Amino acid sequence: MVYETSYECGRHPFKPDLLRGKWEQPHDFVFACLGLGLKLDVFSASYWYFYDMGLSGILPYYVYMAIYLVPLMVIHTFMGQFSSSGFISAFRISPFFKGMGYVSLALSSSVLTYYSLFASIPFLFAINSLKPTLPWSCEGIKDWPNLPNDTETICNISTSQVNESDYDNELFDMKMIHVPAMLFFKQQFEKLDMYIDNDVEYNMSFPIVWVTMLVWGLVSFIFYQFNEAPKFGKCLRYMVSITLGLLLVCFLRFLFLPGALSGIEHYVRPDFHDFIQGAASIPVFALQAFGAGWGSIMSLSSFNKFKTNIMSHSWFIAFGQLFIFMLFGLVSFMLLHYFKEITPENINRYMQSHWVLFIPSASVLASLEWANMWTFMYYTMLLMASVIVIVTQIFTILNSLFDEFEQLRQYKQEVTYGFIISLALCSLYFCSNHGVLYFTALSMDSLLVQALLHLLLLLVVLWIYGRERFQRDIKFMIGETFASWKINVLRFVAPLFLLFTLLTCVIVAFMEHSFSSSSIGFISIVLVITPLLYIPSYGVYIMFRNTGSFCMRFKRACRATDWYPLEMEDRQRYEEALGTNDLTHQLYEVTDDMVYV
């Protein structure tokens, strides 16, 4: 392989943004990536696939972490940090596959349209927690109009034995014990049933619409105040620290709930069935480490200084995200066992505790002393966690666009707010009962695309760009060697796990779509699946712009172009390290006086 400029390949040369800035402190990158671990949709409906695995199911995570999670983080971080550019321009490492960057752009944007739910729902409960009497408390539901008198809730659980012969179906005809917080959430819609599988009549929730607009207003305010990398990194540093602090406080308080200790015991108790279930499902969960879309770590690392130690940071981020997941898992288990503790042991009773981390938890908090304070604190924590994921995702998308399209750099403010407004309008669909019920199909589709992009990334970096060149660049950048055995594991073993993950995502996505509405299927095809066609299409376009035979066009389309460090001093040292054998040009600045093809 030789190294060329884009100009020599008949394309517009890449012009780096010298004013894009760096993180104020080196660990701002770590905090930003830890914030990606606050992606909480894993604890919603998709969490039912592996929520009961406990600590025994987490154990396989360490194997996956060593085999492909951390090494993949190193590759993502290497591409962003070495090129000082986002997830589109970083594919100068092999322009034929640059379409992966545009697929990532579409995927990250589509995920943000439904992810606003995880901010708007906590925002709704946080606002209502300011009322003197919580609407979902046992005192508050007495004032509800149109609530049938025979509605059995956790406030008036009957201790009488239910006659099993009264029900024909043991699973779906159980008598439901309602959680007031779930009833409160359903009241926001004309019709909403989280347990039916067929389409329901579409209707919007205007309270959810209002809080969703407030969420996007908050996001806009953050970008108005912290629009530059140093300021944004500082903002994330404090937001992540405060969120984790509030989570720890809530965790300690929940330890004193009835059934909390049995929940922790169930979480840490080894169980063979849970272990097998965890081993099969954790590869899917491991993809959550890369955020709501794909390429976020790549873009975040582009703001690192060139010598930042990406290997130690990748391990720290992986363990930090695992700690966050375990902490939220423990909170979920304690809440679930609280409901089990207060439910009579009748075979025909079923507690309505779906989405326990987000909705039923409000009724648990209502039972505490100083309920309003704890409710506001808990839902503020969930709100901040979701806003962190949203703003981080938008930040990486915008900077990737500005890196790739030079003409947009002078309109940063207009592009930023235009993009946020577009996301806000698209998110209105998920303020409906269909959006709340069926968004998990889009979530699983996004994980499917993530697994495919990771497979292609291994092909691009370790096979097309090459193992030796990758090791050489890592050595040049941080002074450490990426061991050959790790690369061989990534080349030959990790793809097997990713293929298994891809197959699992296909199966689960098929199940989700079989229960969702046709509109969600259409959205998935347009926003998630169709963009995959851009990868081969862009590759063919790049080949068309080159000259020579088919094989020569393909080879030139796969060569790294404009692949060098941003800083002139590092760039000159890189040229000296490479020598003249790998180069067909001098690494120089391309000025506006050049003629572009």
Side-chain angles (χ1 to χ4, degrees):
M1 177 184 290
V2 294
Y3 291 83
E4 303 171 330
T5 65
S6 300
Y7 177 75
E8 291 168 340
C9 299
R11 299 188 300 276
H12 194 294
F14 172 74
K15 295 191 68 175
D17 184 4
L18 301 177
L19 302 178
R20 68 197 308 273
K22 301 288 183 182
W23 298 120
E24 184 179 67
Q25 297 184 14
H27 55 263
D28 284 348
F29 167 68
V30 176
F31 275 98
C33 292
L34 288 178
L36 297 177
L38 296 169
K39 182 175 180 288
L40 300 181
D41 58 346
V42 70
F43 290 96
S44 60
S46 59
Y47 188 53
W48 288 98
Y49 293 109
F50 45 89
Y51 80 98
D52 204 31
M53 60 191 177
L55 188 62
S56 60
I58 292 294
L59 296 179
Y61 186 88
Y62 296 103
V63 178
Y64 305 136
M65 185 189 298
I67 291 177
Y68 70 88
L69 178 56
V70 173
L72 275 174
M73 280 189 181
V74 172
I75 293 177
H76 278 254
T77 310
F78 155 73
M79 290 183 63
Q81 185 169 305
F82 192 91
S83 65
S84 297
S85 53
F87 54 70
I88 301 176
S89 300
F91 278 94
R92 305 193 304 277
I93 198 171
S94 183
F96 183 90
F97 293 91
K98 195 173 183 178
M100 291 174 60
Y102 293 104
V103 172
S104 179
L105 174 66
L107 177 66
S108 301
S109 302
S110 62
V111 169
L112 286 174
T113 58
Y114 74 77
Y115 200 82
S116 59
L117 268 177
F118 295 94
S120 59
I121 292 175
F123 208 168
L124 176 70
F125 279 91
I127 291 174
N128 282 276
S129 70
L130 300 177
K131 296 181 179 179
T133 301
L134 295 176
W136 49 84
S137 65
C138 292
E139 294 77 14
I141 61 174
K142 296 176 181 178
D143 301 327
W144 287 7
N146 304 322
L147 183 66
N149 295 327
D150 60 345
T151 302
E152 188 172 14
T153 70
I154 60 174
C155 301
N156 61 342
I157 299 178
S158 172
T159 58
S160 61
Q161 178 70 33
V162 180
N163 187 0
E164 184 178 355
S165 62
D166 293 340
Y167 300 96
D168 298 326
N169 188 312
E170 294 182 1
L171 179 61
F172 295 105
D173 290 332
M174 291 180 179
K175 186 173 183 180
M176 183 73 71
I177 300 177
H178 294 277
V179 177
M182 290 293 293
L183 294 175
F184 169 79
F185 184 70
K186 287 184 177 182
Q187 280 191 337
Q188 311 307 312
F189 301 86
E190 292 181 10
K191 187 175 183 181
L192 177 68
D193 192 338
M194 290 189 168
Y195 294 92
I196 65 174
D197 300 328
N198 298 320
D199 284 352
V200 295
E201 183 180 351
Y202 179 90
N203 64 84
M204 295 284 290
S205 169
F206 289 101
I208 301 294
V209 169
W210 283 113
V211 292
T212 298
M213 292 300 103
L214 289 175
V215 168
W216 289 114
L218 176 60
V219 170
S220 300
F221 175 77
I222 291 174
F223 277 96
Y224 176 77
Q225 292 289 336
F226 310 99
N227 56 345
E228 299 176 355
K231 293 180 179 180
F232 186 78
K234 186 176 182 179
C235 174
L236 281 185
R237 188 196 323 156
Y238 286 112
M239 288 183 68
V240 172
S241 300
I242 293 172
T243 301
L244 295 181
L246 292 176
L247 176 59
L248 283 171
V249 171
C250 293
F251 168 76
L252 293 175
R253 178 62 185 88
F254 288 168
L255 286 173
F256 298 94
L257 288 173
L261 295 182
S262 62
I264 294 178
E265 180 185 358
H266 183 79
Y267 187 86
V268 301
R269 185 182 69 244
D271 184 272
F272 181 76
H273 177 267
D274 293 342
F275 181 84
I276 296 300
Q277 184 180 3
S281 55
I282 278 294
V284 178
F285 164 71
L287 297 180
Q288 307 283 341
F290 295 91
W294 190 87
S296 297
I297 293 179
M298 198 179 297
S299 293
L300 293 172
S301 65
S302 67
F303 295 96
N304 288 341
K305 293 183 179 179
F306 190 70
K307 294 292 184 181
T308 302
N309 191 329
I310 60 177
M311 294 188 185
S312 60
H313 280 185
S314 296
W315 280 105
F316 188 87
I317 291 166
F319 278 107
Q321 289 188 345
L322 178 62
F323 170 76
I324 292 172
F325 173 78
M326 292 177 62
L327 203 54
F328 274 110
L330 284 167
V331 169
S332 298
F333 269 71
M334 289 190 290
L335 293 173
L336 284 170
H337 279 264
Y338 169 84
F339 289 115
K340 290 182 179 180
E341 184 76 14
I342 64 174
T343 305
E345 296 183 357
N346 294 344
I347 60 173
N348 289 104
R349 299 294 180 89
Y350 183 77
M351 180 71 70
Q352 192 185 34
S353 55
H354 189 56
W355 276 34
V356 65
L357 195 65
F358 302 96
I359 302 177
S361 52
S363 290
V364 180
L365 293 163
S367 66
L368 302 178
E369 189 177 0
W370 298 343
N372 295 74
M373 181 196 73
W374 285 110
T375 304
F376 183 80
M377 182 187 300
Y378 178 79
Y379 281 102
T380 298
M381 179 268 296
L382 292 180
L383 171 63
M384 290 183 64
S386 300
V387 169
I388 287 170
V389 174
I390 292 172
V391 298
T392 303
Q393 197 74 39
I394 294 176
F395 180 77
T396 60
I397 292 172
L398 291 174
N399 281 281
S400 296
L401 288 173
F402 297 143
D403 288 335
E404 178 64 16
F405 301 103
E406 179 188 355
Q407 61 272 23
L408 295 181
R409 296 172 190 171
Q410 56 183 327
Y411 303 107
K412 286 188 175 182
Q413 192 173 42
E414 292 83 352
V415 173
T416 298
Y417 295 121
F419 183 67
I420 293 175
I421 291 172
S422 299
L423 289 175
L425 294 176
C426 292
S427 68
L428 291 179
Y429 174 84
F430 296 94
C431 299
S432 66
N433 56 344
H434 279 204
V436 170
L437 290 173
Y438 306 133
F439 78 90
T440 50
L442 278 178
S443 178
M444 294 311 304
D445 289 341
S446 68
L447 291 176
L448 186 155
V449 176
Q450 279 199 43
L452 181 59
L453 290 176
H454 284 307
L455 277 169
L456 290 175
L457 183 68
L458 293 178
L459 172 67
V460 170
V461 176
L462 301 182
W463 290 95
I464 295 177
Y465 185 68
R467 173 184 62 82
E468 294 180 355
R469 294 180 178 86
F470 172 68
Q471 287 179 297
R472 178 199 60 202
D473 289 353
I474 290 282
K475 179 72 174 179
F476 173 80
M477 186 169 63
I478 65 175
E480 293 186 16
T481 302
F482 196 85
S484 296
W485 70 267
K486 295 180 182 179
I487 292 183
N488 289 329
V489 170
L490 274 175
R491 296 175 85 187
F492 300 106
V493 180
L496 299 178
F497 286 92
L498 288 173
L499 285 172
F500 173 77
T501 303
L502 185 63
L503 178 61
T504 304
C505 289
V506 169
I507 295 173
V508 177
F510 177 80
M511 294 172 57
E512 291 285 353
H513 278 286
S514 65
F515 298 130
S516 67
S517 65
S518 57
S519 57
I520 288 290
F522 176 77
I523 293 173
S524 176
I525 292 174
V526 172
L527 298 181
V528 182
I529 305 301
T530 302
L532 288 174
L533 299 176
Y534 201 80
I535 298 176
S537 301
Y538 192 86
V540 172
Y541 167 76
I542 292 296
M543 290 179 61
F544 176 77
R545 296 297 300 270
N546 283 309
T547 58
S549 64
F550 177 85
C551 292
M552 181 58 67
R553 287 172 183 261
F554 179 74
K555 289 180 180 179
R556 296 195 71 183
C558 291
R559 291 171 181 168
T561 56
D562 303 332
W563 186 253
Y564 46 76
L566 177 63
E567 299 294 335
M568 182 61 68
E569 181 180 352
D570 295 325
R571 191 184 310 184
Q572 291 173 348
R573 288 195 305 106
Y574 186 58
E575 179 181 340
E576 294 172 359
L578 292 182
T580 58
N581 293 332
D582 269 345
L583 295 171
T584 61
H585 70 288
Q586 293 292 317
L587 298 177
Y588 55 87
E589 291 285 350
V590 180
T591 65
D592 292 333
D593 296 331
M594 296 281 184
V595 178
Y596 301 133
V597 178

